[in-house]
Amino acid sequence: MYAQMVKTEAKRVRSLDEMEPQERAFQQRIDAGQKIEPKEWMPEDYRKTLIRQISQHAHSEIVGQLPEGNWITRAPTLERKAILLAKVQDEAGHGLYLYCAAETLGISRDQMYEQLHSGKAKYSSIFNYPTLSWADIGAIGWLVDGAAIMNQVPLQRCSYGPYARAMVRICKEESFHQRQGFDIMTVLSKGTPEQKAMAQDALDRWWWPSLMMFGPSDDASVHSAQSMAWNIKQDSNDELRQKFVDQTVPQATYLGLTVPDPALKWNEAKGGHDFGEPDWTEFFAVIAGEGPCNRERLEARRKAWNDGAWFRDGLTAHAGKQAARRQASRIAAE
Amino acid sequence: MSSEWPLWEVFIRGQHGLNHRHVGSLHAPDAEMAILNARDVYTRRNEGVSIWVVRSADIVASAPSDKGPLFDPANAKVYRHPTFFDVPDEVGHM
Amino acid sequence: MSAPASSSAVSAAVAEFALRMGDSCLILGHRNSEWCGHAPALEEDIALANTALDLIGQTQLWLGLACEAEGKGRTPDNLAFLRDVSGYRNLLLVEQPNGDFGRTLMRQYLFDAWHLPLLKALIGSADRRIAEIAEKASKEVAYHLERSADLVVRLGDGTAESHARMQAAVDFLWPYTGEMFLADAVDDELASAGLAPEPGLLKAAWQVHVGTTFAEATLKAPEKSFVQKGGRRGVHSEHLGYILAEMQFLQRAYPGASW
């Protein structure tokens, strides 16, 4: 997921009876499916958790530009180039919407960048894997965006108004992303033997990291329980992962590709697939900064930010000068 | 640390003679650039024909209740719309 | 007006012209796309990608016309991905490395200030296909110019550092601007057939625009500068080879594959 293992301060989820009247009223509104809006009262932990979750989601979008951005200049046709550029541009837009949503909670975008650049804030583990071939662009759209959509669709109904509205916009724009990825995979898997091998190799490398996107099982997690009580998380990690596998496996079959999991098989009794366990040691290492591309990704973000300081300052200075000039001519006219 | 560009709220009127509608926010050094940025950020899919921006800080809001010509180009970018891609029936919903 | 040229000669001139337009759009779009994910602010990242997308879209139209006019059964992708450096007809200006964001914007501005009046003139082309492409592209490019000129002014008249960077960008790029106004036999033929304006006729409008913008931006055009030329006859700077090596990699590594 684009926001993984978001922590709350909760030790356990309290019942309505245990809450003070203000918080009880707040929780009852959420239970009734109402939206919480920026200036309304909210528990401090709700606010902080949302900042963590939304900013992590935003960081994932802009760091997520990098692995795919890698291939914009190498896209194999003019149309593919335009489509990929439009997609990566959308991710910048989604990051922008999400940062704005988080800003309504009392943190600035620059502060969030600072947290990203210092390594304090996390972003999705998935973007720390390299894009080694053109098929990786297909696999990311198909698998990574496919996984993200599973989580983002229900978030359109989450309890925090600005976040929910940002997700509505994002989901609307994002629907072409998964399709473009699958389209690339389709062409490759029906192409030359080299192209098909390229597609299989991409699936082999992206399958497990995609399953890890949902995070480890959180059935026992108090943070997840609290987030669900607040309606800023709707499904458990395992539920989403199951849904993702069940949706994706037939698509892989259609492509004539093999999902790299020997344990994968249909379980008639449960009406879903059984599948193997991702390597959580690898997941935690990637989260801790030890993935194949963590350093490159953060370095690229820091460089863009630092190299752009003069530009942002130049525009600020000009806006100040213009305002002063207008003020002066207004005074002169009076 | 230099100062951050202020935040602007963006309102766009769609093509059907409706009211301007709040679509989101963005950062820009001044109002003129906020308009340009809004055009680039919020009308990528030909969403609007008229843009208003206002500094977020200048919005006056009611107290929360306790109860609770530039737009032709995007037309050409059909690939932004999911229907541009054929999804085979066998594959199911995407 | 000279004597009417034969239709095959006109077709060849149209094909050459469309290549020149398409290649400049492609290479500039490609250069701009290099910023995607790396621009100084999210809003700029998105805006520059829009410009790049417009240019790539225009590339498809111009190269489509080039294919049609040359009549050899090639596609725009064949032209983009299978020609070597010497086959490319873009201006040297657009293949220059991005440098800092200021240089990228200045390159865009110097190009836009030429591109828009050219497209406006092309709307009156005797060739309907040229006129239609120009009509569509001019709407996009009018916005490119509005934005790039605005940013040049703001950064030129911003901080001491932004001013210095923009001035350095002017000084670096200026020698590549003269090429836009040079004519060769193809241009003469196009002009005499009423297909495209004489390149030299665009210079005055460009100079006025640049002069006004630079005055507001407190920037100076170099007083003396030589003209780097050759792009439109396939003699490029060293940079283009690297652009093509990257851009054409897949098509070259997997000949004949569909993508």
Side-chain angles (χ1 to χ4, degrees):
Chain A
M1 220 32 52
Y2 282 9
Q4 291 163 328
M5 302 198 306
V6 178
K7 285 208 167 52
T8 65
E9 310 287 322
K11 304 275 184 288
R12 65 186 179 83
V13 180
R14 290 174 308 141
S15 69
L16 286 173
D17 300 341
E18 296 170 89
M19 295 175 184
E20 295 297 317
Q22 201 168 29
E23 186 175 358
R24 190 182 310 134
F26 169 86
Q27 186 62 51
Q28 281 169 333
R29 286 181 56 201
I30 289 180
D31 295 344
Q34 290 179 19
K35 293 271 182 278
I36 307 302
E37 294 298 339
K39 295 203 170 157
E40 294 170 345
W41 185 88
M42 61 186 77
E44 187 57 13
D45 190 20
Y46 175 82
R47 191 182 70 84
K48 281 189 183 158
T49 303
L50 269 177
I51 289 179
R52 238 174 260 141
Q53 177 169 337
I54 303 173
S55 66
Q56 205 184 108
H57 197 154
H59 296 328
S60 297
E61 295 282 357
I62 63 162
V63 175
Q65 286 186 276
L66 301 169
E68 289 178 279
N70 259 339
W71 281 87
I72 293 171
T73 54
R74 287 179 287 174
T77 68
L78 293 171
E79 184 169 88
R80 291 284 182 207
K81 188 190 281 293
I83 292 169
L84 181 59
L85 179 55
K87 176 181 190 258
V88 181
Q89 180 201 37
D90 274 349
E91 279 150 19
H94 299 169
L96 189 151
Y97 308 155
L98 288 162
Y99 283 126
C100 288
E103 283 179 273
T104 63
L105 292 159
I107 185 170
S108 73
R109 192 163 90 187
D110 283 8
Q111 284 173 316
M112 288 183 268
Y113 279 147
E114 170 56 33
Q115 292 175 351
L116 173 67
H117 298 156
S118 70
K120 180 171 175 253
K122 300 293 181 211
Y123 55 88
S124 179
S125 53
I126 194 76
F127 301 118
N128 291 311
Y129 291 88
T131 48
L132 303 176
S133 80
W134 173 249
D136 289 19
I137 301 306
I140 288 182
W142 173 37
L143 301 174
V144 176
D145 292 312
I149 288 168
M150 303 237 136
N151 180 49
Q152 292 179 168
V153 167
L155 278 175
Q156 294 178 100
R157 300 187 308 271
C158 77
S159 64
Y160 189 57
Y163 191 25
R165 290 190 287 275
M167 290 320 304
V168 168
R169 201 173 178 87
I170 289 170
C171 286
K172 198 172 122 206
E173 295 183 357
E174 187 125 327
S175 47
F176 98 81
H177 293 185
Q178 192 192 7
R179 288 180 177 212
Q180 69 88 34
F182 192 73
D183 192 57
I184 290 173
M185 294 304 275
T186 305
V187 172
L188 293 177
S189 60
K190 292 180 175 158
T192 64
E194 288 100 330
Q195 287 177 302
K196 186 160 185 184
M198 198 187 275
Q200 182 63 54
D201 171 59
L203 175 57
D204 291 346
R205 281 181 292 106
W206 290 94
W207 176 256
W208 292 110
S210 297
L211 293 196
M212 290 177 204
M213 280 178 74
F214 298 96
S217 179
D218 59 352
D219 291 345
S221 162
V222 65
H223 303 301
S224 292
Q226 178 62 72
S227 292
M228 284 183 178
W230 281 334
N231 191 23
I232 54 177
K233 177 180 172 78
Q234 288 94 346
D235 304 281
S236 79
N237 295 349
D238 286 333
E239 282 164 353
L240 288 171
R241 190 169 14 250
Q242 180 71 49
K243 204 172 149 196
F244 174 77
V245 170
D246 290 340
Q247 177 184 292
T248 310
V249 168
Q251 294 167 350
T253 308
Y254 169 83
L255 294 173
L257 300 178
T258 308
V259 172
D261 178 0
L264 182 77
K265 67 169 194 296
W266 177 254
N267 180 333
E268 190 63 45
K270 80 170 181 185
H273 292 84
D274 291 330
F275 53 94
E277 193 71 16
D279 179 355
W280 295 112
T281 317
E282 175 180 314
F283 172 78
F284 286 110
V286 173
I287 290 279
E290 293 162 19
C293 299
N294 293 61
R295 279 188 287 192
E296 286 92 331
R297 300 291 185 249
L298 262 193
E299 191 46 42
R301 286 312 316 163
R302 285 194 200 109
K303 183 176 188 316
W305 183 247
N306 294 334
D307 289 358
W310 72 269
F311 171 87
R312 296 187 302 273
D313 292 345
L315 294 191
T316 301
H318 177 79
K321 284 184 190 178
Q322 282 293 81
R325 280 177 208 135
R326 271 181 212 150
Q327 180 76 8
S329 64
R330 216 174 293 138
I331 290 167
E334 276 166 12
Chain B
M1 182 90 175
S2 47
S3 62
E4 188 167 355
W5 292 345
L7 193 62
W8 301 78
E9 300 303 321
V10 180
F11 300 80
I12 291 184
R13 175 164 61 209
Q15 284 141 317
H16 309 296
L18 303 173
N19 289 325
H20 282 76
R21 213 178 114 238
H22 183 243
V23 295
S25 332
L26 50 74
H27 288 269
D30 62 20
E32 291 76 14
M33 273 217 76
I35 292 270
L36 294 182
N37 288 347
R39 186 266 187 205
D40 278 301
V41 172
Y42 286 106
T43 70
R44 302 202 301 288
R45 284 174 181 74
N46 202 41
E47 285 97 336
V49 292
S50 166
I51 300 173
W52 290 350
V53 294
V54 60
R55 273 185 74 146
S56 309
D58 291 340
I59 299 258
V60 181
S62 61
S65 139
D66 289 332
K67 296 185 216 93
L70 291 173
F71 305 98
D72 280 13
N75 269 329
K77 299 182 179 74
V78 291
Y79 45 76
R80 283 209 187 272
H81 300 273
T83 47
F84 176 73
F85 299 96
D86 288 330
V87 176
D89 292 340
E90 303 94 295
V91 165
H93 177 74
M94 188 175 283
Chain C
M1 229 25 188
S2 55
S6 74
S7 72
S8 68
V10 170
S11 281
V14 167
E16 177 71 13
F17 178 72
L19 270 189
R20 291 175 179 184
M21 296 299 292
D23 289 349
S24 284
C25 289
L26 174 56
I27 300 302
L28 186 57
H30 181 97
R31 279 293 195 212
N32 286 341
S33 78
E34 292 173 11
W35 277 104
C36 189
H38 305 274
L42 268 180
E43 287 81 2
E44 287 304 318
D45 207 297
I46 294 166
L48 195 59
N50 274 340
T51 304
L53 281 168
D54 287 343
L55 289 168
I56 293 166
Q58 292 170 24
T59 302
Q60 289 170 299
L61 299 175
W62 286 121
L63 294 187
L65 174 57
C67 294
E68 191 184 319
E70 75 168 10
K72 292 180 188 165
R74 293 200 284 184
T75 66
D77 282 334
N78 294 156
L79 291 180
F81 295 92
L82 299 176
R83 278 178 300 155
D84 201 347
V85 168
S86 62
Y88 262 79
R89 295 289 182 263
N90 59 281
L91 295 166
L92 298 178
L93 175 71
V94 299
E95 69 196 44
Q96 297 312 305
N98 284 341
D100 63 14
F101 203 67
R103 192 199 282 176
T104 294
L105 291 173
M106 182 60 74
R107 183 184 60 201
Q108 186 67 40
Y109 169 66
L110 295 170
F111 180 81
D112 293 339
W114 164 81
H115 199 195
L116 184 62
L118 170 58
L119 290 171
K120 285 192 166 163
L122 290 174
I123 292 174
S125 171
D127 186 317
R128 193 178 44 79
R129 299 167 301 179
I130 293 178
E132 279 171 8
I133 296 172
E135 174 83 43
K136 180 185 181 301
S138 65
K139 291 179 192 162
E140 297 172 343
V141 172
Y143 181 69
H144 300 174
L145 179 59
E146 181 187 345
R147 203 171 210 291
S148 64
D150 183 60
L151 283 167
V152 164
V153 168
R154 286 167 182 272
L155 293 167
D157 182 43
T159 59
E161 183 179 4
S162 71
H163 175 86
R165 283 174 182 266
M166 295 312 278
Q167 187 60 56
V170 177
D171 297 343
F172 178 84
L173 293 169
W174 200 257
Y176 301 102
T177 57
E179 189 185 23
M180 301 189 285
F181 310 107
L182 298 178
D184 61 13
V186 175
D187 294 302
D188 294 342
E189 192 173 340
L190 291 163
S192 65
L195 296 168
E198 268 178 60
L201 294 177
L202 300 168
K203 190 165 188 175
W206 184 83
Q207 282 175 325
V208 168
H209 203 290
V210 171
T212 310
T213 304
F214 280 14
E216 228 187 307
T218 70
L219 296 171
K220 283 195 184 66
E223 282 174 21
K224 271 172 56 180
S225 173
F226 50 93
V227 175
Q228 295 284 8
K229 56 181 184 292
R232 296 189 316 154
R233 59 188 167 88
V235 181
H236 290 271
S237 61
E238 291 177 346
H239 307 296
L240 186 62
Y242 291 99
I243 294 178
L244 297 186
E246 192 171 333
M247 188 171 87
Q248 300 179 337
F249 154 65
L250 282 169
Q251 294 254 3
R252 301 290 192 184
Y254 302 93
S258 301
W259 301 93

